[in-house]
Amino acid sequence: MRVPVSWLRSLVPGLTAPAEEIAGALVRLGLEVEQVHRVGHDISGVVVGEVLDVEELTGYKKPVRFCHVSVAPAGAPSRIHEVVCGATNFAPGDRVAFATPGAVLPGDFRIATRQTYGRTSDGMICSGAELGASEESGGILVLAPDAPLGADVVELLALRDEVLDIAVTPDRGYQLSVRGVARETATAFGLPLADPALAEAPAPDAGGHPVVLAAADCDRFVARVVHGFDPTATSPAWLQRRLLLAGMRPVSLAVDVTNAVMLELGQPLHAYDRAALSGAIVVREAEPGERLRTLDGQERTLAGGELLITDDSGPIGLAGVMGGGPTEITATTTEILLEAAHFSPTSIARTARRHRLPSEASRRYERGVDPALPSAAAEAAVRLLVELGGATAGAVTDLGTSAAAPVLALPLDAAGRLAGRDYAPDVVRRRLEDVGCAVTGTDPLQVVPPSWRPDLTGTAELIEEVLRLEGYDTIPVVLPRAPAGRGLTPQQRLRRTASRALAATGLVEVVLPPFVTPEVLDVLGGGMQAPRLLNPLSAQEALLRPTLLPGLLGAAVRNVSRGLPDVAIFETGHVFIGAGTSVPAPGVSGPPTPEQRAELDAALPRQPRHVGVVLAGRRASWQAAISAVADLGLALGLVVEPRAVAHGPFHPGRSAELLLGGRRVGVAGELHPRVIAALGLPARSCAAEANLDLLVETAAAAGPPPAPLVSHFPPANVDIAVVVDEVVPAADVEAALRDGAGPLLEAIALFDVYTGPQVGPGRRSLAYALRLRAPDRTLTDADVLAARDAAVAEAGRRTGAALRS
């Protein structure tokens, strides 16, 4: 909404603040003033001149006139300029707007003396368009005969102005009018409002044009007849100027009047050529297939249900959107019928969108127009047509009634309780009255919202008005006092420890959406029950993940496809196990009962938190995948042991299940070549997944692990190679060596696996590095050999291992 400040000042007497201060005050009240446009401030050097004589120059294809123009007032030294001009609508003795050499016109157009058509042109006689006073040039701007010579034309015609560009929110339709913005401005500066809607309108009479309301979406319709309108009458400069500043194009006097009244009051109007009407006006809904040619020249086929203005000939307008071509005002119109009505916002919005026909009228009706305005707006338009168009006011038709406004109860302390500061009772009452509410009672106040504020429907809206008008900046900013915290729970601390442990090994944490496709689950081996979403974001990803691997593998594929082949990522998040069950949704009349909540909880699938790892490229090795989960266990104070197993999407010879106290908590290893090929992963890609909740619960139950004993004595390193059957798991051999070596063993690691003729068929050699250390002494050779022999002996007893020679 573009609001000229001069127009605003006419409705708020005593408003002398500059435009920037007005804009700031409106912003503090919650209006969105996006910009202040300064119009006419770039014009200089244009004064009132008098045409002394005119010489018609011949020999050219267009009219060319050579004139002498005087700009000197009576008694002043003579200042006569020679000017070449192409306009013909002026004569000697006319007062005109004359741009002297050095003058500047809009757009930084500078005037200078120049030679043209064989004469010297020492300035320029200006049209209204060249000064920005009108949109189209109808020739030279001829001023009033008593315009003082030499006077500044910009000051004389009030061409300098400021325009407030306001973004109006959908719930504040009253701000789509100068009247609505003026009301806010008057409140901001504590000034009275000269409300143009208070003009008394004549009562309806029996001679009015017949109107029939046959649709519930039109609850009021005012029709005013105007006789004897002069079709040659043009809009005065001040009216055209107002429309241009407000962003509308002047068309003709009748149309300009309806537009000006709409801009000032916010009530859309439509003018019909009464001679083109046939019979009574009927407001009804459209039938499917009806046709209407609108003012934009488009022939439109109606879908049915649109609100129409019709007469005996059929549709003559889309109500609240756009009029029809057959009844538009023409250059010969002398009888006018003015329409001012109140339509349902929903109906108008639906019609405008259905036909892709937004208009200034529909924009206002969609946001809600004051139902009490039609008679006042029609009267304002009639008065202008009588004054400017030489017309005579005719009969009045006024049908329909507006619904009674609701009475809202507002406790006096409600605004203070919500804002966190006190508002005196007289302040609450005064601010509601500033809005236009009728306020009675003591506590609670009985508040009747004004007809132009359909958004005031409850206590919250009334409180907002009090806070808004008193100033949001007066509400104290006080941080709430937080209750003493208990810190993180043991489980939360352990989960953070797990994430830090994985990140410390060089893995990057990712957060992925929990939606998967059935196809990727089939690639990973199938057999997993995944809950299906009733309303998925994507029809393809309609399942909730029963495992973290689909998302992690997809992220790895995306990184590889973008030139990042070495991937090492992990994620901690919930998985969803089981399909869940369907239960009836509880009603909306109140909160669910404890039984309903229990039933809803029981219907949900299990949602444990897992940790997943994916390695690709140079980061990929099945040992690294297993070690990632094992190191995570160590960070939690747990010992996670691997054991060879063939599982799901993993390579049968390069994967392991991960055991915690003999209970499987995860799997890790190299992915099966079938899975790698199906997903487009690099060769030998690896993955791991473990039940993080189980690890955390076990660690939390065990309590904080004891601090390790740090010995200042040197370690002793010894390597052992044992030969076992190929079917014996390396983890079993490691466990036996660990138990046999006893308390001196500090660390053990498998560093080589050999199969070949030196160990025989069906056998393999496993080489382990043992680090031994005593807390109280330096180990001797005898200590080291004894520990080594005991470890080998225990491995031989439990797994049949023999020391490789």
Side-chain angles (χ1 to χ4, degrees), residues 20 173 176 223 243 427 441 446 454 473 486 491 495-496 505 542 546 564 566 586 683 794 799:
E20 289 74 13
L176 286 172
L243 293 175
V427 170
Q446 303 300 310
D473 55 344
R486 300 177 181 175
Q491 290 77 10
R495 284 197 291 269
R496 293 192 178 187
T505 64
L564 301 171
D566 302 323
E794 182 65 17
T799 65

Coordinates of all heavy atoms in Angstrom, one line a residue, residues 20 173 176 223 243 427 441 446 454 473 486 491 495-496 505 542 546 564 566 586 683 794 799:
E20 N 10.0 10.6 7.6 CA 10.8 9.5 8.2 C 10.3 9.3 9.6 O 10.3 8.2 10.1 CB 12.3 9.9 8.2 CG 12.9 9.9 6.8 CD 12.5 11.0 5.9 OE1 11.9 12.0 6.4 OE2 12.8 10.9 4.7
G173 N -6.5 -5.9 6.9 CA -7.0 -5.4 5.7 C -7.3 -3.9 5.8 O -7.3 -3.2 4.8
L176 N -5.1 -1.2 4.1 CA -5.1 -1.0 2.7 C -6.0 0.2 2.3 O -6.7 0.2 1.4 CB -5.6 -2.3 2.0 CG -4.7 -3.5 1.9 CD1 -5.4 -4.7 1.3 CD2 -3.5 -3.1 1.1
A223 N -26.5 0.7 -4.0 CA -26.5 1.2 -5.4 C -26.9 2.7 -5.4 O -27.9 3.0 -4.9 CB -27.4 0.4 -6.3
L243 N -3.6 9.7 -7.3 CA -3.7 8.3 -7.8 C -2.3 7.9 -8.3 O -1.9 6.7 -8.0 CB -4.6 8.2 -9.0 CG -6.1 8.4 -8.7 CD1 -6.9 8.4 -10.0 CD2 -6.6 7.3 -7.7
V427 N -5.1 2.9 30.8 CA -4.3 2.7 29.6 C -4.9 1.6 28.8 O -5.0 1.8 27.5 CB -2.9 2.4 30.0 CG1 -2.1 1.9 28.8 CG2 -2.2 3.6 30.7
G441 N -18.0 -1.6 31.1 CA -17.8 -2.5 32.3 C -16.5 -2.1 33.0 O -15.8 -1.1 32.6
Q446 N -16.0 -5.2 28.9 CA -16.8 -5.7 27.8 C -16.4 -4.9 26.6 O -16.7 -3.7 26.5 CB -18.3 -5.6 28.2 CG -18.7 -6.3 29.4 CD -18.4 -7.8 29.4 OE1 -18.8 -8.5 28.4 NE2 -17.7 -8.3 30.4
P454 N -12.2 -7.1 11.6 CA -12.7 -8.5 11.7 C -11.7 -9.4 12.3 O -12.0 -10.5 12.7 CB -13.0 -8.9 10.3 CG -12.1 -8.0 9.5 CD -12.0 -6.7 10.2
D473 N 8.5 -2.0 22.5 CA 9.8 -1.7 23.1 C 9.7 -1.3 24.5 O 10.7 -1.2 25.2 CB 10.5 -0.5 22.3 CG 9.6 0.7 22.2 OD1 8.4 0.5 22.4 OD2 10.1 1.8 21.8
R486 N 20.5 -30.4 36.7 CA 21.2 -31.6 37.3 C 22.3 -32.1 36.3 O 22.9 -33.2 36.6 CB 20.1 -32.7 37.5 CG 19.0 -32.3 38.5 CD 18.0 -33.4 38.6 NE 16.9 -33.0 39.5 CZ 15.8 -33.8 39.7 NH1 15.7 -34.9 39.0 NH2 14.9 -33.4 40.5
Q491 N 23.6 -41.8 31.1 CA 23.5 -42.3 29.7 C 23.8 -41.2 28.7 O 24.5 -41.5 27.7 CB 22.0 -42.7 29.5 CG 21.6 -44.0 30.2 CD 21.3 -43.8 31.7 OE1 21.3 -42.6 32.2 NE2 21.2 -44.8 32.5
R495 N 26.8 -41.5 25.9 CA 26.6 -41.4 24.4 C 27.5 -40.4 23.8 O 28.0 -40.5 22.7 CB 25.1 -41.0 24.2 CG 24.1 -42.2 24.3 CD 22.8 -41.9 23.7 NE 22.0 -40.9 24.4 CZ 21.2 -41.1 25.4 NH1 21.0 -42.4 25.8 NH2 20.5 -40.2 25.9
R496 N 27.7 -39.3 24.6 CA 28.7 -38.3 24.1 C 30.1 -38.8 24.0 O 30.9 -38.5 23.1 CB 28.6 -37.0 24.9 CG 27.3 -36.3 24.8 CD 27.3 -34.9 25.4 NE 26.1 -34.2 25.3 CZ 25.9 -32.9 25.6 NH1 26.9 -32.2 26.1 NH2 24.7 -32.4 25.4
T505 N 39.0 -41.1 16.1 CA 39.7 -42.0 15.2 C 39.7 -41.5 13.8 O 40.1 -42.2 12.9 CB 39.0 -43.4 15.2 OG1 37.7 -43.3 14.8 CG2 39.0 -44.0 16.6
A542 N 9.1 -44.6 1.9 CA 7.9 -44.7 2.7 C 8.1 -45.5 4.0 O 7.1 -45.7 4.7 CB 6.7 -45.3 1.9
P546 N 15.1 -49.7 9.7 CA 15.3 -50.7 10.7 C 16.8 -50.8 11.0 O 17.2 -51.6 11.9 CB 14.7 -52.0 10.2 CG 14.9 -51.8 8.7 CD 14.8 -50.3 8.4
L564 N 35.0 -37.6 -3.9 CA 35.5 -37.8 -2.6 C 35.5 -39.3 -2.3 O 34.7 -39.8 -1.6 CB 34.7 -37.0 -1.5 CG 34.7 -35.5 -1.7 CD1 33.7 -34.9 -0.8 CD2 36.0 -34.8 -1.6
D566 N 37.5 -41.3 -0.5 CA 37.9 -41.8 0.8 C 36.9 -41.3 1.8 O 36.9 -40.2 2.2 CB 39.3 -41.4 1.1 CG 40.3 -41.8 0.0 OD1 40.1 -42.9 -0.5 OD2 41.2 -41.1 -0.3
P586 N -7.2 -40.8 18.9 CA -8.1 -40.2 19.9 C -8.7 -38.9 19.3 O -8.3 -38.3 18.4 CB -7.1 -39.8 21.0 CG -5.8 -39.7 20.4 CD -5.8 -40.7 19.2
A683 N 35.1 -50.8 -4.3 CA 35.4 -52.1 -3.9 C 36.0 -52.2 -2.5 O 36.6 -51.2 -2.0 CB 36.4 -52.7 -4.9
E794 N 47.8 -72.3 27.5 CA 46.4 -72.1 27.6 C 45.7 -72.2 26.2 O 44.6 -72.7 26.1 CB 46.1 -70.8 28.3 CG 44.6 -70.5 28.6 CD 44.0 -71.5 29.5 OE1 44.7 -72.3 30.2 OE2 42.7 -71.6 29.6
T799 N 42.2 -74.4 22.4 CA 41.9 -74.3 20.9 C 42.7 -75.3 20.1 O 42.6 -75.3 18.9 CB 42.1 -72.9 20.4 OG1 43.6 -72.6 20.5 CG2 41.4 -71.8 21.2

